[in-house]
Amino acid sequence: MEEKIIKKKRIFSGIQPSGELTLGSYMGAIKNWVALQDEYECLYCIVDMHAITVRQDPALLRRRSVAQLAQYIACGLDPQKNIMFIQSHVPQHAELGWVLGCYTQFGELSRMTQFKAKSQQHADNITSGLFTYPVLMAADILLYQADLVPVGEDQRQHVELCRDIAQRFNGVYSDTFTVPESFIPKMGARVMSLGNPENKMSKSDPDGCVFLMDKPEDIMRKFKRAVTDCEMAVKYDKVNKAGISNLLTIYCAATGKTLEEAEAEFEGQGYGVFKPAVGEAVVELMRPIREESERIMKDKAYLESVYKEGAAHAQYLANKTLSKVYRKIGFVAR
Ligand code: ATP
Ligand code: LTN
């Protein structure tokens, strides 16, 4: 029988080392990265160039970038299967970013909700880098001809813009880029703050946010204090019971149970039972990740070998796209 070699589809995704990894970034993104690593050829990046769109402490940024790699591995990403690297080690991202910026409208970038939110948060330092951030993100994805981009709900708009840029470029210069799709989980796409369930859980809000490296007692404390409502029922109702709905989502994403199963489990039980149960589920989910990450962090030589090999491999792939782009737009070959 004729044997067909089926080329694996490709994935690109990244997280900024601008803070510690959170339960939100785990449930919205990393969990899917792990689930997809066998089926796809995956590039998982530490996007340090995105992190400097707001002011960073240099020593902390350096430490967090390496720690984030350790945490990726501890979450279950296998460096033998995936290309794992640090964005600034592959200068082609910045190069393609510049080109794509010349194919992106000012108006398009002005509509990005993340820019609107971040420019309010950092009103004293609204840089052009913060504004053009989605162009660099498009470059990250298009450089590798990625088919799929597993992210949380808040990044959907950026992936849409990336698709628009790719289609526009392809329209002018003939097919150059794969037009990617976002891959957003059904459960956990938008984990909300424990302190204010109207807002997204975010690393800039430490009280409402659970970090992957939090100790069990801190996780339990945060869940016991989680804002709920003055009713009694553990029922999913996003409009009227935002806090409980968020806790139910977290519980289901952590345990693999459905909403119906979780509601039935806590039927007739008060929040005093439910909140610590969610905390316990998260503690058990995070415990092996924290322990494994602490172990890997001790082996700096190993981590260095992973990000160096990752960057070399990524550069090889990135160069193919970049030279094609340079040729198409009319740059003289080097
Ligand atoms: P900040 O909150 O400071 O803006 P962030 O946590 O949103 O940062 P990243 O850490 O770069 O930013 O996000 C990494 C990935 O995790 C992205 O794919 C994002 O969509 C996802 N993510 C982040 N927070 C959440 C959340 N609360 N719920 C679901 N997914 C999330
Ligand atoms: N913008 C994303 C991080 C990010 C990303 C990417 C995600 C940068 N480049 C490419 C997916 C693909 C964020 O803020 N969470």
Side-chain angles (χ1 to χ4, degrees):
M1 226 169 52
E2 193 189 333
E3 246 188 76
K4 267 197 188 149
I5 299 171
I6 301 170
K7 207 167 156 260
K8 279 189 179 176
K9 288 198 170 188
R10 204 172 272 166
I11 280 182
F12 183 96
S13 197
I15 298 181
Q16 309 177 60
S18 52
E20 303 297 320
L21 291 181
T22 71
L23 184 64
S25 54
Y26 180 79
M27 291 186 161
I30 301 174
K31 200 167 165 233
N32 271 335
W33 300 5
V34 176
L36 295 165
Q37 64 181 332
D38 290 315
E39 211 182 314
Y40 290 81
E41 183 184 0
C42 306
L43 294 109
Y44 294 128
C45 191
I46 292 149
V47 289
D48 54 350
M49 287 158 66
H50 277 98
I52 61 160
T53 53
V54 302
R55 192 83 79 231
Q56 300 294 331
D57 175 280
L60 205 53
L61 179 63
R62 195 171 292 119
R63 204 168 336 122
R64 277 182 179 150
S65 298
V66 178
Q68 192 164 305
L69 177 64
Q71 290 169 28
Y72 280 2
I73 300 170
C75 285
L77 292 174
D78 182 348
Q80 303 285 342
K81 286 186 194 157
N82 306 295
I83 303 174
M84 291 154 82
F85 68 104
I86 298 173
Q87 187 184 29
S88 62
H89 292 182
V90 182
Q92 289 84 350
H93 289 245
E95 294 184 72
L96 183 62
W98 175 258
V99 173
L100 296 183
C102 302
Y103 296 83
T104 308
Q105 299 297 310
F106 182 87
E108 291 179 299
L109 292 174
S110 312
R111 286 194 286 277
M112 294 294 116
T113 51
Q114 182 173 299
F115 172 71
K116 291 185 203 165
K118 294 253 159 152
S119 51
Q120 274 177 9
Q121 264 174 37
H122 304 273
D124 56 338
N125 186 35
I126 306 174
T127 66
S128 61
L130 188 64
F131 187 65
T132 57
Y133 174 117
V135 177
L136 180 61
M137 176 163 164
D140 296 342
I141 298 165
L142 300 182
L143 202 45
Y144 301 100
Q145 309 287 353
D147 299 279
L148 214 60
V149 185
V151 284
E153 180 59 46
D154 63 307
Q155 295 302 313
R156 187 193 291 276
Q157 194 186 31
H158 288 162
V159 180
E160 284 299 318
L161 176 65
C162 172
R163 288 170 57 84
D164 292 343
I165 298 172
Q167 276 161 345
R168 184 172 305 144
F169 194 98
N170 288 351
V172 178
Y173 299 102
S174 79
D175 267 3
T176 308
F177 296 122
T178 302
V179 181
E181 276 180 45
S182 51
F183 188 93
I184 295 167
K186 286 207 178 66
M187 195 65 84
R190 192 169 167 81
V191 177
M192 308 308 278
S193 161
L194 298 184
N196 181 358
E198 307 294 327
N199 291 344
K200 193 190 80 153
M201 180 182 280
S202 158
K203 48 195 161 199
S204 45
D205 158 33
D207 281 339
C209 182
V210 175
F211 296 99
L212 291 199
M213 294 300 118
D214 273 351
K215 297 200 173 58
E217 56 271 28
D218 294 329
I219 298 179
M220 290 305 291
R221 182 176 42 81
K222 289 179 184 178
F223 276 99
K224 283 183 188 160
R225 276 204 209 148
V227 168
T228 50
D229 51 62
C230 43
E231 294 176 14
M232 285 283 287
V234 180
K235 281 263 167 244
Y236 189 87
D237 175 351
K238 231 175 147 183
V239 179
N240 300 307
K241 296 169 75 69
I244 288 295
S245 303
N246 186 40
L247 292 176
L248 271 168
T249 310
I250 294 174
Y251 185 72
C252 291
T255 58
K257 292 180 184 167
T258 63
L259 281 173
E260 292 72 30
E261 284 168 344
E263 283 177 349
E265 189 178 342
F266 294 101
E267 176 144 29
Q269 310 210 44
Y271 299 164
V273 175
F274 176 56
K275 291 205 279 186
V278 183
E280 295 282 358
V282 172
V283 165
E284 289 320 312
L285 182 71
M286 300 289 116
R287 188 193 304 282
I289 296 177
R290 181 172 48 82
E291 289 173 358
E292 183 63 1
S293 165
E294 283 166 0
R295 191 187 68 72
I296 301 170
M297 266 309 270
K298 294 193 184 117
D299 196 347
K300 293 285 185 297
Y302 168 68
L303 288 167
E304 192 179 320
S305 73
V306 171
Y307 66 66
K308 281 194 170 164
E309 266 174 47
H313 198 163
Q315 283 212 30
Y316 170 78
L317 299 174
N319 260 332
K320 288 200 210 178
T321 302
L322 193 66
S323 27
K324 190 157 120 188
V325 168
Y326 277 5
R327 181 161 37 79
K328 290 208 179 192
I329 58 179
F331 286 177
V332 175
R334 290 181 212 193

